[in-house]
Amino acid sequence: MPGSPGSRTGRPPVQRAVKRPAVSRSPRGGSARSLVVRARKAWDRPLTAYYLILGGSLLITVLGLVMVYSASQITALQMALPGSYFFRKQLLAAVIGAGLLLAASRMPVKLHRALAYPILAGAVFLMALVQVPGIGMSVNGNQNWISLGGSFQIQPSEIGKLALVLWGADLIARKQERRLLMQWKHMLVPLVPVAFLLLGLIMLGGDMGTAIILTAILFGLLWLAGAPTRLFVGVLSMAALISVILIKTSPNRLDRFACVGSADASRCWQAVHGIYALASGGIFGSGLGASVEKWGQLPEAHTDFIFAVTGEELGLAGTLSVLALFAALGYAGIRVAGRTEDPFVRYAAGGVTTWITAQAVINIGAVLGLLPIAGVPLPLFSYGGSALLPTMFAIGLLIAFARDEPAARAALAMRQPRFGRKRAGGLAAGRKSGRKPGRASGRKPDRAAGREPGREPRRWNTMRRRASAARSSGER
């Protein structure tokens, strides 16, 4: 049969596939897009909030211990104390706080609600005890301390923050269950009067910074409870009016407001030298322990102005890292409060997040010269066991709430060691039946397969075998 004209061998011509025009692909864009998708998936995992709270609080506490040791050495030596004096006290408080955090993270929600009233009663009693002559003591002009003997002191107003969060969350949750929050009197009473009682006891000692934090917690609880706008504005206006009166009647508070944005070192010594410390740090800082301002120039370098020493020694990179850790902690708290169905968990998580976030903003804003110096420490970071212990207990609350989410509980249950449980179950079954594990009835051990007599065959990772089987079968 004659071949076709286009074929010399007589065979039909080979049909070649038509080449498609090459499509220009951008590997960088595709990889960046895939990274964004992976980051979103990782961010939306059930245990993201749990890891952010646990890891963020741990990193802030550890970095705070390092900076307390660096910033407090000169102050301790000037007081004729060992250079590690304040660090050792802070380390002891951190160890005790870690125990409180672990205990709070393992407590059920019912026990947290049961502790609300005892903690509130204890806080009110201790805050009233501060005003008794001979028991309460004054530190930096504020009568808010109780001496425990020796160099140990306690500030009951820090316990008042935790008491207001727990008691207020339990109160609003019970009223929501009874559908009483639609009436304004049930939303305000007795929450606002008890909060004003705590504020009054604090202001008797002159500590307006702690009073501002308690006011922020109160507003956070009212906002989460769905207070109407006019009611919210009314309470805010009343608090603002009281604050103006308290500021106008105190020359010290007027001077602090006058130092906002001021560069007059003769009048605003602490604020100006805090800016000097931040400015001299540069991008990566002068080095750990190489601060100049802590040599007597910057007052309260290891407490209220430890963020300034961090900026001087670790630079912009160190301060941004601290800000990122607090932002992650705040986001995780908001996520826990927004994803739960338990009203108490929602209000308590929102109250703790408001507490830590507001206190961090006030402290950092004062160091940056954007807010008046309120005298509040940086949470989990500054020196002070009275502030560290209640805050770490509050972090334990957030961890317990993050673990209690249904998706988080399922994810934690999936991470149990199945290999150990299966093997332990097989050994127990073998003992009950009277057979040795690894030897079947009437069969000899398979030596060719590498199994020894009297032993159960090894079971390798089942997750890896399932993954390989899924790939071979085309399952995705």
Side-chain angles (χ1 to χ4, degrees):
M1 185 176 182
S4 60
S7 176
R8 297 182 180 179
T9 59
R11 297 179 182 178
V14 179
Q15 298 292 334
R16 297 181 179 178
V18 180
K19 293 184 179 180
R20 297 180 180 180
V23 180
S24 60
R25 298 181 180 179
S26 57
R28 295 182 179 178
S31 61
R33 191 177 304 166
S34 63
L35 288 176
V36 171
V37 172
R38 290 180 182 178
R40 287 181 179 177
K41 289 182 179 180
W43 199 253
D44 292 335
R45 289 178 180 175
L47 293 176
T48 299
Y50 170 74
Y51 288 129
L52 283 178
I53 296 171
L54 181 61
S57 59
L58 180 62
L59 289 175
I60 293 173
T61 306
V62 172
L63 184 58
L65 287 172
V66 175
M67 293 311 304
V68 164
Y69 180 66
S70 175
S72 65
Q73 288 181 345
I74 307 304
T75 304
L77 293 175
Q78 289 175 348
M79 298 172 64
L81 296 171
S84 60
Y85 174 77
F86 293 103
F87 168 75
R88 286 181 292 175
K89 290 185 63 176
Q90 186 74 356
L91 181 61
L92 177 61
V95 172
I96 299 175
L100 292 176
L101 185 149
L102 182 61
S105 64
R106 294 296 179 178
M107 288 181 185
V109 176
K110 292 183 179 180
L111 184 55
H112 288 147
R113 301 186 69 168
L115 290 176
Y117 283 87
I119 293 178
L120 177 65
V124 172
F125 175 75
L126 291 175
M127 291 168 68
L129 202 63
V130 168
Q131 307 304 324
V132 177
I135 297 178
M137 58 181 302
S138 176
V139 177
N140 293 332
N142 294 334
Q143 184 80 14
N144 281 316
W145 296 83
I146 296 177
S147 177
L148 300 179
S151 60
F152 292 95
Q153 304 164 355
I154 184 174
Q155 189 176 5
S157 57
E158 295 292 337
I159 306 176
K161 301 175 186 177
L162 178 63
L164 182 59
V165 168
L166 285 177
W167 177 79
D170 178 69
L171 176 69
I172 299 175
R174 285 189 290 107
K175 289 194 173 186
Q176 180 177 341
E177 293 170 357
R178 298 177 184 178
R179 299 181 180 179
L180 298 176
L181 292 180
M182 302 302 295
Q183 305 176 22
W184 67 269
K185 58 180 181 180
H186 284 286
M187 182 170 291
L188 294 182
V189 180
L191 177 63
V192 175
V194 172
F196 278 12
L197 172 64
L198 296 175
L199 290 172
L201 291 174
I202 292 174
M203 290 308 300
L204 283 176
D207 189 2
M208 190 171 181
T210 306
I212 293 174
I213 304 301
L214 256 73
T215 306
I217 295 174
L218 174 62
F219 286 140
L221 291 175
L222 290 176
W223 182 76
L224 290 171
T229 305
R230 61 179 182 274
L231 184 63
F232 199 83
V233 172
V235 177
L236 183 61
S237 302
M238 185 185 303
L241 179 62
I242 296 174
S243 300
V244 169
I245 295 174
L246 292 174
I247 293 171
K248 288 288 186 179
T249 55
S250 174
N252 184 24
R253 297 186 187 118
L254 284 175
D255 292 339
R256 292 185 180 185
F257 271 88
C259 289
V260 176
S262 176
D264 186 5
S266 60
R267 184 180 181 183
C268 307
W269 180 272
Q270 188 178 20
V272 172
H273 279 272
I275 299 296
Y276 288 168
L278 291 171
S280 59
I283 298 179
F284 298 106
S286 58
L288 193 62
S291 171
V292 176
E293 292 293 333
K294 68 183 180 183
W295 287 77
Q297 301 296 326
L298 181 63
E300 306 297 334
H302 61 295
T303 54
D304 299 344
F305 271 69
I306 194 172
F307 189 76
V309 180
T310 304
E312 185 179 3
E313 295 186 351
L314 303 182
L316 181 63
T319 55
L320 290 181
S321 300
V322 174
L323 291 176
L325 289 174
F326 276 108
L329 195 59
Y331 166 79
I334 294 174
R335 176 169 170 165
V336 171
R339 293 194 174 190
T340 183
E341 298 179 357
D342 190 340
F344 172 78
V345 173
R346 181 183 305 112
Y347 299 134
V352 172
T353 306
T354 304
W355 164 15
I356 296 176
T357 305
Q359 188 165 331
V361 169
I362 292 173
N363 178 275
I364 296 174
V367 174
L368 295 176
L370 303 176
L371 295 175
I373 299 174
V376 295
L378 190 59
L380 301 172
F381 202 84
S382 296
Y383 169 78
S386 296
L388 183 63
L389 296 182
T391 307
M392 294 194 74
F393 188 88
I395 294 295
L397 289 177
L398 289 180
I399 294 175
F401 298 156
R403 289 169 57 94
D404 198 53
E405 293 182 8
R409 285 202 305 265
L412 289 173
M414 290 293 293
R415 295 197 173 195
Q416 296 295 331
R418 296 183 176 183
F419 173 76
R421 289 189 301 179
K422 287 184 177 181
R423 185 165 185 173
L427 292 174
R431 292 192 188 99
K432 289 182 179 180
S433 61
R435 293 185 286 108
K436 294 183 178 180
R439 177 174 295 186
S441 58
R443 293 185 181 180
K444 296 182 179 181
D446 189 2
R447 297 182 181 272
R451 301 173 187 170
E452 299 181 5
R455 289 190 180 181
E456 187 181 357
R458 294 182 179 178
R459 297 181 179 178
W460 303 105
N461 195 337
T462 56
M463 296 296 292
R464 183 174 297 179
R465 290 192 297 174
R466 290 177 184 174
S468 60
R471 287 195 297 267
S472 61
S473 59
E475 182 181 350
R476 294 288 183 269

